[in-house]
Amino acid sequence: MAIEFKPSPSLPPPVNSVGAVAWVRHNLFSSPLNIFLTLFSFYVLYLLIPPVVEWGIINATFEGASKAACTGGGACWAFIGVYFDQFMYGLYPSEETWRINLALILLVILIGTFAIKAVNKLYLSIGIIVIYPIIAYFLFSGGVFGLEVVETSLWGGLFLTTLLGVIGIVASFPLGVLLALGRQSNMPIAKSVCIVFIETVRAVPLITILFMASVMIPLFLPEGMNFNKLMRVLIGITLFSAAYMAEVIRGGLQAIPKGQYEASDAMGLTYWQSMILVILPQALKLVIPGIVNTFIGLFKDTTLVYIVGMFDLLGRIQAATHDSSWLGTTIEGYAFAGFVYWAACFGMSRYSMRIERKLETGHKRN
Amino acid sequence: MTNTNMARAQLAPGEQTIIEFNDVNKWYGDFHVLKNINFSIKKGERIVVCGPSGSGKSTMTRCINRLEEHQKGTILVDGVEMNNNLKNIEAIRKDVGMVFQHFNLFPHLTILENLTLAPIWVRKTPKKEAEEMAMHYLERVKIANQALKFPGQLSGGQQQRVAIARGLCMQPRIMLFDEPTSALDPEMIKEVLDVMVQLAEEGMTMVCVTHEMGFAKTVADRVVFMDAGEIVEANEPHEFFDNPQHDRTQMFLSQILNH
């Protein structure tokens, strides 16, 4: 007669291995070295935090019309307050800045609509990618519906930074995907074009590309033909980061097992069907950290447009610190710039982590 | 198209050749992997291909839907020559299902989406119809209750049954199996073989690379033994196992049967 096999019941873990005290003991005071590092870190924080709080909040001056008003010995945030509009919108006429705000609100609403289940995601995406940019373009530059024309040379501040960053990201991503696929392709001509493009663009500093875009291209263009400097810089930034993007995505494509390509081929899917439905969704998910890395790099690299005479957030701050009534406010200006860039990049990073979690299907690679 | 279908219907079942290899040769670089393969498979036949590793059995099978290209000779599948004509290849691939050693399910799609992907995009079947068909085949492989899970949440045997159902969803005329049980735990081999036996009983044309000799004995119409890129021997199962003609076949059989 066979004996019935009964698995033993699972027991809860010992009490002293869970909870806050266990966490502290395990992570902060587990060994002499760990105890030392914990105490040392607390000491460094003790040295750093009080002076920063004192300078930035307790002794800081938040209101005033010039540096002379800042008498507390702390930070002179009044400087940021006075120049705030310029930091945000550049030299965009202040009675017209509602157009930028409106475009921003519109974008937030459109993206928020994604959360509503009943909305057709495809139409919404087309709306955001195709129709919204046209609306935003006319809102920003004016010339229609009685909107006053605003030259792009007046665009600046965080507005310009965001514009360069967002358009650079949105345009360089699909271009990067195409370049990565091209580099993996069996067609020799497409392949060589992609390789030459990627290797050339990656080998050149962004500053060189921006100089070429703003100074050299107009020299080669025929007399009277002149297209916007902002446009040229945007194209330069997009091509530059597309080359990086392509290599990141290629890494993802190479990580997909050969069996996935074979299975989709064996089903009779065409090349584009198998890329769009099978390969890219997996490859892109794998390289989300790398893609976001490139996006963050691109966003911060946009500060380089200062070199070719465009005043983005950092450019405007730097110009403002030269104002004779606000001399000596460089630290406040850079602290503000640092905070804005940090907030934007941290936001991108958190968002990408959320996407990664959402796309996790608990699969093992096969 | 209709004419050829009518011509096909007039042939007696079991007499019509559906796959034909004529002097097929293939090289990987300098390595001669398939040497003068001459072989034809009739509609409804169940072929088991066996042989030592590196003998070219997988390669030969993968030539049938052109996952591998051959360099010399001709392969006709359903009367269509497999050459560089992309349209021909895509047309044949619609009609040839394939099951791989490592399942190759798409990990980012649910089981149901894995099954409906090709019918929807290749056959242009309406989504609802494709889903109904997918559920039908999932029931046949006894796994319908897992339809909304992802492949990573299933056991190996379940994944391979899904892979078979995925192949069947395209309603193929031929099913290719490339070592379908080699990557499975021993306890799961049977559930996959059961599905394959059932499929064979329904008259599907099958080409199966496997070392499951029990399966070959019960199901195969012919067993093909390959070594060093050549077909050494092809015969009905009882002749093949009880009375092998070649020394090489005898040696292979003694090694895999007496362990």
Side-chain angles (χ1 to χ4, degrees), chain A residues 14-257:
Chain A
V15 183
N16 64 358
S17 69
V18 289
V21 176
W23 185 90
V24 167
R25 190 182 296 167
H26 180 77
N27 292 293
L28 299 182
F29 300 104
S30 63
S31 69
L33 178 66
N34 204 342
I35 294 171
F36 169 74
L37 289 176
T38 303
L39 295 177
F40 182 71
S41 307
F42 281 132
Y43 179 64
V44 170
L45 290 178
Y46 165 74
L47 287 183
L48 280 178
I49 292 178
V52 169
V53 171
E54 214 168 293
W55 176 81
I57 298 170
I58 298 170
N59 295 337
T61 311
F62 292 90
E63 285 185 7
S66 77
K67 175 72 176 162
C70 298
T71 50
C76 191
W77 298 124
F79 165 62
I80 307 293
V82 167
Y83 270 102
F84 190 76
D85 274 8
Q86 222 182 75
F87 293 167
M88 292 299 111
Y89 307 109
L91 300 180
Y92 211 88
S94 54
E95 62 277 15
E96 302 292 335
T97 51
W98 61 270
R99 284 151 57 173
I100 296 173
N101 296 340
L102 178 65
L104 181 68
I105 292 167
L106 196 59
L107 184 64
V108 170
I109 291 175
L110 278 173
I111 290 175
T113 321
F114 264 110
I116 303 171
K117 279 219 167 64
V119 179
N120 184 322
K121 302 278 189 308
L122 182 69
Y123 292 142
L124 188 59
S125 309
I126 292 174
I128 291 179
I129 293 168
V130 181
I131 300 170
Y132 175 77
I134 299 172
I135 298 173
Y137 173 78
F138 284 115
L139 266 178
F140 294 154
S141 55
V144 286
F145 303 121
L147 290 174
E148 191 191 319
V149 175
V150 181
E151 293 292 333
T152 54
S153 54
L154 299 177
W155 301 11
L158 185 60
F159 165 55
L160 182 65
T161 300
T162 316
L163 195 75
L164 292 170
V166 169
I167 296 180
I169 285 169
V170 172
S172 69
F173 180 66
L175 194 58
V177 171
L178 287 179
L179 284 168
L181 290 176
R183 195 167 182 167
Q184 297 282 74
S185 139
N186 293 325
M187 292 180 285
I189 296 180
K191 188 174 176 156
S192 358
V193 168
C194 292
I195 292 179
V196 169
F197 176 86
I198 292 170
E199 296 302 334
T200 313
V201 172
R202 273 203 313 172
V204 176
L206 180 56
I207 292 190
T208 318
I209 291 178
L210 292 178
F211 267 128
M212 299 245 292
S214 69
V215 182
M216 283 174 66
I217 291 177
L219 292 180
F220 295 127
L221 285 175
E223 193 76 30
M225 187 178 161
N226 179 27
F227 77 106
N228 194 293
K229 181 158 91 177
L230 176 64
M231 194 67 190
R232 297 195 303 261
V233 164
L234 261 176
I235 292 173
I237 288 178
T238 303
L239 296 182
F240 183 77
S241 73
Y244 280 85
M245 190 64 65
E247 288 298 278
V248 170
I249 293 169
R250 189 165 69 95
L253 290 175
Q254 280 175 345
I256 302 300

